[in-house]
Amino acid sequence: MTPSSTRGLKRRAAFGEGRPRGKNRAARDKLDLAELNGHVGYFLRRLQVAIFKDFIETLADFDVRPAQYSVLVLIAANPGRSQAAISKTLNIERARLARMLHELERRQWVERRSAANDGRSHSLLLTPAGQKVLAQIKRLAARHEKQAAEMIGAERRAQLLALLREFG
Amino acid sequence: MTPSSTRGLKRRAAFGEGRPRGKNRAARDKLDLAELNGHVGYFLRRLQVAIFKDFIETLADFDVRPAQYSVLVLIAANPGRSQAAISKTLNIERARLARMLHELERRQWVERRSAANDGRSHSLLLTPAGQKVLAQIKRLAARHEKQAAEMIGAERRAQLLALLREFG
DNA sequence: AGATATTGTTGTCAATGACAACATGTTCTC
DNA sequence: GAGAACATGTTGTCATTGACAACAATATCT
């Protein structure tokens, strides 16, 4: 494969160019990443996109995106809390969360009742239907996580998780 | 407004509630992440967003977003290659790359000349101006990477990079 | 030669992030 | 206790992004 090894016939890299041709189209086009190799963000993003893609596919039957999942999980684990609390915890913008909750309410998974102690805020709860659905969703999410572990290697995943978690 | 709340004195946390009050608003609202703690994707995304935010801020003077940066670096390191090659390497959709290149061409950083050996594809090159700008941009990108290292800890960053890089 | 595939392009749609403005309610300060 | 300052949820708007379909031009395969 090395350009300097003239393997007799197979004159693929006969000239300086050495472009792959014909059959080897799809795979053999890899370029030099150059300084991208030194950027954590680059690889971080690639992996994150791949993982989210798997998540979305795995949960396609419920049409739940990662952000929605995180909101559902947070409401389930912290019932009665306000949108502001969820928003701050997940770094989701207030405006966006409001719209997302409209959708989750439309699906009858989430209930908003006005908080007892603060007339401005809403207490968020899962409806019984929401709880039931979330249980199924969590099973799929667990399956996704298993697939992710296969994809990146179980121990690498564990190491990554340990490293990443030290933020918040 | 609350019907059940006796209008008397500071009745705020008189019961089991124990909500944070007054001053401690901003910080003390942290909720239980529950099963999110088991999802690499969740933490991966949080860190990625934080890092990209820093990148964008650090390179704000040049108005270069991460994707644009990666394209510029790849063209510089692999001059003459086609859009398809860049697209595949960076997992950027063909359509999106085409539009991005229009913008980079408008800024006079990138030149597209039709490839000699394939009438369909374009050979991508940096213009002299583009090379000059990219040199400055790379300095800012290096500064960003340094900031990221401070942010997440130099060794954690190194470990992360090592782990993440084993994909591609 | 004719079927098939690739390349670059444009159009469109949905999701997202960012930000401003607003009404309503709460907390702070005096 | 009144008024300033702030918090909360909402809507509106804009820019960016990802996904997908369609297309013309060109290359490649059989």
Side-chain angles (χ1 to χ4, degrees):
Chain A
M1 265 323 187
T2 79
S4 50
S5 74
T6 23
R7 219 54 224 96
L9 7 156
K10 290 309 179 204
R11 77 289 193 250
R12 192 117 54 3
F15 327 150
E17 250 286 58
R19 301 259 312 333
R21 54 145 46 96
K23 269 289 160 209
N24 1 17
R25 53 190 178 281
R28 287 289 64 78
D29 263 336
K30 283 337 177 95
L31 305 187
D32 182 3
L33 290 183
E35 17 272 304
L36 292 188
N37 280 306
H39 287 292
V40 208
Y42 171 71
F43 295 101
L44 216 42
R45 167 120 182 118
R46 284 189 76 105
L47 183 54
Q48 181 259 305
V49 167
I51 287 188
F52 270 40
K53 184 168 170 245
D54 179 84
F55 184 96
I56 292 169
E57 284 167 7
T58 305
L59 281 87
D61 283 355
F62 290 92
D63 192 23
V64 171
R65 327 232 40 237
Q68 293 172 316
Y69 171 73
S70 66
V71 167
L72 289 173
V73 166
L74 234 69
I75 295 177
N78 307 272
R81 305 305 298 268
S82 70
Q83 299 183 196
I86 305 272
S87 170
K88 280 169 196 152
T89 305
L90 293 179
N91 273 329
I92 296 177
E93 202 210 358
R94 284 195 341 268
R96 192 162 127 49
L97 181 61
R99 284 183 262 242
M100 191 187 299
L101 287 172
H102 287 326
E103 169 63 16
L104 296 177
E105 218 173 2
R106 195 192 61 73
R107 298 190 191 181
Q108 315 244 26
W109 293 353
V110 164
E111 187 195 340
R112 269 193 271 219
R113 57 180 63 154
S114 54
N117 39 9
D118 190 330
R120 297 164 300 179
S121 59
H122 293 163
S123 285
L124 300 176
L125 300 168
L126 290 195
T127 64
Q131 296 175 19
K132 204 172 289 182
V133 167
L134 182 56
Q136 304 178 267
I137 288 176
K138 280 182 183 172
R139 277 196 283 279
L140 290 184
R143 178 187 306 172
H144 148 74
E145 197 64 30
K146 210 176 250 173
Q147 290 162 356
E150 287 174 20
M151 177 181 175
I152 72 188
E155 20 200 321
R156 242 202 306 276
R157 173 187 163 280
Q159 292 179 305
L160 269 178
L161 191 52
L163 283 174
L164 291 167
R165 233 161 119 171
E166 304 180 22
F167 293 106
Chain B
M1 259 321 189
T2 83
S4 52
S5 76
T6 37
R7 266 206 93 25
L9 25 145
K10 292 307 186 190
R11 74 291 193 235
R12 187 102 75 356
F15 330 142
E17 250 286 59
R19 298 262 313 332
R21 60 164 19 119
K23 272 290 162 206
N24 1 15
R25 53 188 178 283
R28 287 290 64 77
D29 263 336
K30 284 334 175 98
L31 305 187
D32 181 3
L33 290 183
E35 17 273 303
L36 292 188
N37 279 304
H39 287 292
V40 209
Y42 171 71
F43 295 102
L44 216 42
R45 167 120 182 118
R46 284 190 76 105
L47 183 54
Q48 181 259 305
V49 166
I51 287 188
F52 270 41
K53 186 169 169 243
D54 179 84
F55 184 96
I56 292 169
E57 284 167 6
T58 304
L59 281 87
D61 284 355
F62 290 92
D63 191 23
V64 171
R65 330 240 23 243
Q68 293 172 316
Y69 171 73
S70 66
V71 167
L72 289 173
V73 167
L74 234 69
I75 294 177
N78 306 272
R81 305 305 297 268
S82 70
Q83 299 183 197
I86 305 273
S87 171
K88 279 169 196 152
T89 305
L90 293 179
N91 273 330
I92 296 177
E93 203 212 355
R94 283 195 344 266
R96 193 163 126 48
L97 181 61
R99 286 183 260 244
M100 190 187 300
L101 287 172
H102 287 326
E103 168 63 16
L104 296 178
E105 217 172 4
R106 195 192 60 73
R107 297 190 192 181
Q108 315 244 24
W109 293 352
V110 164
E111 186 194 341
R112 268 194 271 216
R113 57 179 64 154
S114 54
N117 38 5
D118 190 330
R120 297 166 299 179
S121 59
H122 294 164
S123 285
L124 300 176
L125 300 168
L126 289 195
T127 64
Q131 296 176 18
K132 204 173 287 183
V133 166
L134 182 55
Q136 305 178 267
I137 287 177
K138 281 182 183 172
R139 278 196 282 280
L140 290 184
R143 178 188 304 172
H144 149 74
E145 197 63 29
K146 211 176 247 173
Q147 290 162 355
E150 287 174 19
M151 176 182 176
I152 72 188
E155 20 198 320
R156 242 201 308 274
R157 173 186 163 281
Q159 291 179 305
L160 269 179
L161 192 52
L163 282 174
L164 291 168
R165 232 162 119 171
E166 304 181 24
F167 293 107

